[in-house]
Amino acid sequence: LLPLSLGLFQGTLLLFFALFVTYDEPSAQAEDASLVANKVYSTFPFFQDIQVMLVVGLGLLLTFLPRYGLSALTHNFLLLNFSMQWALVLQGLLHHFHHGQVQLDLHKLLISEFAAVTVLISVGAILGRTSPCQLLVMATCEIPVYLASEWVIINCLGVLDVGGTITIHVFSCYFGLGVSKALFRAGQQPLHPKETPIPRSDIMSLVGMLILWVFWPSFVAVLCQPGDAQHRAILNTLLALSASAITTVVASSLLERDSKLSPGHLQNGSLAGGVVIGVVADMAMPPVAALALGSLSALTCVLGFRFLTPLLGRKLSLLDQCGIHNLHGLPGILGAAASAVAILVASKDTSGSQFSQLQALCQAAGLAVAMGTSLLGGLLTGAVLRLPCLAQPPQRLCFDDSLYFKIQDQAESPWPGSTTEEGALALKE
């Protein structure tokens, strides 16, 4: 089913590109050509940084499951390309279809990649317990819901969110949680024997966090207006990330036994500052506000892992494999609230107080739209993923690369407490 569906998708896309997609006409005037060149040279380095973040950084971050590293990296890479192309088609048809053609440029590709980010984040809630076909169906359903939600939030409500805190992080978090709740609605999932990280997998995941941490300012600043706004966004993001890294170490050592650090806290809490700052990164606020938001978001993330995730698992039977609620959901809500406060505080120094109060309400409305549409879309998508034809792996075969990859050295049994013959029978089943 996987090669059939992917081959059909790529073949259809080839036909669509052949009929409808073209590049912009070359600029005849030297001034226009110079303007285009400057735009490319200023955008492409940011674009490359984001590529490294998503392909390498996020892929490695998901390798904390010791026997699922190949699958995590490969499925992340596959979903990025699939979702980006699917978003490119939908955006072209909805917003850029003029005179029977879609003119492709680097900015449209970047916006499509931002849409793909929502899928990569949402998958973290159900990582390891789903088949590749289920993930592709999830991406197919999530992209149009995201595009509709983003259009309402940005174009209709006029929400200020240059770094995607509300439109990307909050949306993808609650979409993934909605899928998880609908897909695993039978009850709380028991702890799987292959679910516990080992030092080697934790190190790989920590390297992924470091890559994301280094390149995160590019993700936040790429859509800012060049000049002061972009400069301010980069500085605020760096300050927030630095504060979140230090606060994560403090909070983790205070909460863990014998003041030891939790690798899971480091892998996630250190990035919380980048999530929270996106919505206010280009706003005129003092540097101490960026530091405070970074520290508060990291503390919220660590406390979420320590207390909230087990509570949601017990009370709501909610599975959140990667803790996306702690890294993307809680800091995203905090960032949305901070943006409303920042707008109201800034209005005291201007004459547009009434307009600022309205804008603050729009920020809150945008958060509500993102959470509502994502939860509803996720619940419906999760119901679709329960179809038997999508081949959800049984509990025994979860979190194992052997189900999807040809492993050269399989002398050791991939399942604890079983023989090689039993493992082969399980794969056959």
Side-chain angles (χ1 to χ4, degrees), residues 39-286:
K39 190 175 181 180
V40 171
Y41 294 148
S42 63
T43 303
F44 191 66
F46 287 110
F47 184 83
Q48 286 290 78
D49 290 350
I50 295 170
Q51 290 280 82
V52 175
M53 284 180 66
L54 301 181
V55 176
V56 185
L58 185 56
L60 288 175
L61 186 69
L62 300 177
T63 60
F64 65 94
L65 296 169
R67 297 183 183 272
Y68 202 69
L70 273 174
S71 301
L73 279 167
T74 306
H75 294 165
N76 178 76
F77 183 56
L78 173 64
L79 285 172
L80 172 63
N81 288 279
F82 177 87
S83 303
M84 186 263 295
Q85 293 186 44
W86 178 225
L88 201 62
V89 170
L90 291 180
Q91 286 185 325
L93 291 174
L94 294 174
H95 304 302
H96 310 296
F97 198 74
H98 304 294
H99 307 294
Q101 293 289 322
V102 177
Q103 290 187 330
L104 187 63
D105 59 27
L106 185 60
H107 181 76
K108 294 184 179 69
L109 202 63
L110 177 64
I111 297 301
S112 300
E113 192 141 297
F114 273 16
V117 173
T118 61
V119 177
L120 304 185
I121 295 173
S122 298
V123 163
I126 56 175
L127 184 72
R129 297 181 184 270
T130 46
S131 68
C133 293
Q134 287 178 303
L135 299 180
L136 291 177
V137 172
M138 177 177 171
T140 304
C141 297
E142 182 170 3
I143 292 296
V145 179
Y146 163 75
L147 293 177
S149 171
E150 192 241 7
W151 183 81
V152 170
I153 293 171
I154 301 299
N155 295 89
C156 297
L157 296 176
V159 172
L160 303 176
D161 187 18
V162 70
T165 297
I166 299 173
T167 55
I168 294 177
H169 293 286
V170 171
F171 175 89
S172 56
C173 167
Y174 289 99
F175 190 96
L177 294 181
V179 170
S180 177
K181 181 61 181 175
L183 185 59
F184 305 112
R185 62 186 181 187
Q188 187 175 359
Q189 298 294 311
L191 185 67
H192 199 281
K194 289 172 284 187
E195 196 174 345
T196 304
I198 60 175
R200 177 179 57 82
S201 64
D202 270 333
I203 290 175
M204 294 292 289
S205 183
L206 197 61
V207 170
M209 180 277 290
L210 295 175
I211 294 172
L212 287 168
W213 193 95
V214 168
F215 290 109
W216 203 291
S218 295
F219 183 87
V220 173
V222 64
L223 294 181
C224 293
Q225 289 295 325
D228 289 340
Q230 198 168 63
H231 184 216
R232 192 161 50 241
I234 293 172
L235 293 177
N236 285 332
T237 305
L238 287 170
L239 289 174
L241 285 169
S242 181
S244 66
I246 292 178
T247 305
T248 298
V249 174
V250 174
S252 181
S253 62
L254 290 177
L255 289 173
E256 292 297 316
R257 183 177 299 176
D258 299 329
S259 297
K260 295 183 178 180
L261 298 177
S262 165
H265 293 167
L266 291 175
Q267 293 154 7
N268 293 274
S270 302
L271 301 174
V275 175
V276 74
I277 202 66
V279 69
V280 295
D282 61 338
M283 294 183 182
M285 62 180 190

Side-chain angles (χ1 to χ4, degrees), residues 180-416:
S180 177
K181 181 61 181 175
L183 185 59
F184 305 112
R185 62 186 181 187
Q188 187 175 359
Q189 298 294 311
L191 185 67
H192 199 281
K194 289 172 284 187
E195 196 174 345
T196 304
I198 60 175
R200 177 179 57 82
S201 64
D202 270 333
I203 290 175
M204 294 292 289
S205 183
L206 197 61
V207 170
M209 180 277 290
L210 295 175
I211 294 172
L212 287 168
W213 193 95
V214 168
F215 290 109
W216 203 291
S218 295
F219 183 87
V220 173
V222 64
L223 294 181
C224 293
Q225 289 295 325
D228 289 340
Q230 198 168 63
H231 184 216
R232 192 161 50 241
I234 293 172
L235 293 177
N236 285 332
T237 305
L238 287 170
L239 289 174
L241 285 169
S242 181
S244 66
I246 292 178
T247 305
T248 298
V249 174
V250 174
S252 181
S253 62
L254 290 177
L255 289 173
E256 292 297 316
R257 183 177 299 176
D258 299 329
S259 297
K260 295 183 178 180
L261 298 177
S262 165
H265 293 167
L266 291 175
Q267 293 154 7
N268 293 274
S270 302
L271 301 174
V275 175
V276 74
I277 202 66
V279 69
V280 295
D282 61 338
M283 294 183 182
M285 62 180 190
V288 67
L291 286 171
L293 283 174
S295 296
L296 191 57
S297 64
L299 181 62
T300 303
C301 180
V302 173
L303 290 175
F305 272 103
R306 186 67 174 83
F307 301 107
L308 188 58
T309 296
L311 180 65
L312 293 177
R314 291 194 306 269
K315 299 298 183 181
L316 301 179
S317 299
L318 184 62
L319 173 69
D320 184 4
Q321 194 65 50
C322 295
I324 61 172
H325 189 229
N326 307 311
L327 176 55
H328 302 277
L330 298 178
I333 294 173
L334 177 63
S339 68
V341 173
I343 291 169
L344 292 175
V345 170
S347 69
K348 295 180 180 179
D349 302 326
T350 64
S351 59
S353 178
Q354 186 174 0
F355 171 78
S356 297
Q357 291 176 1
L358 180 61
Q359 183 62 49
L361 288 175
C362 288
Q363 298 294 115
L367 176 64
V369 169
M371 295 179 67
T373 55
S374 59
L375 273 174
L376 180 60
L379 289 170
L380 295 175
T381 302
V384 174
L385 297 189
R386 294 177 64 88
L387 294 174
C389 63
L390 295 179
Q392 181 177 337
Q395 175 71 10
R396 187 183 182 189
L397 301 184
C398 292
F399 309 112
D400 204 302
D401 289 326
S402 300
L403 187 58
Y404 307 113
F405 287 89
K406 182 179 180 181
I407 308 297
Q408 296 299 328
D409 184 13
Q410 292 187 342
E412 295 184 3
S413 172
W415 290 277

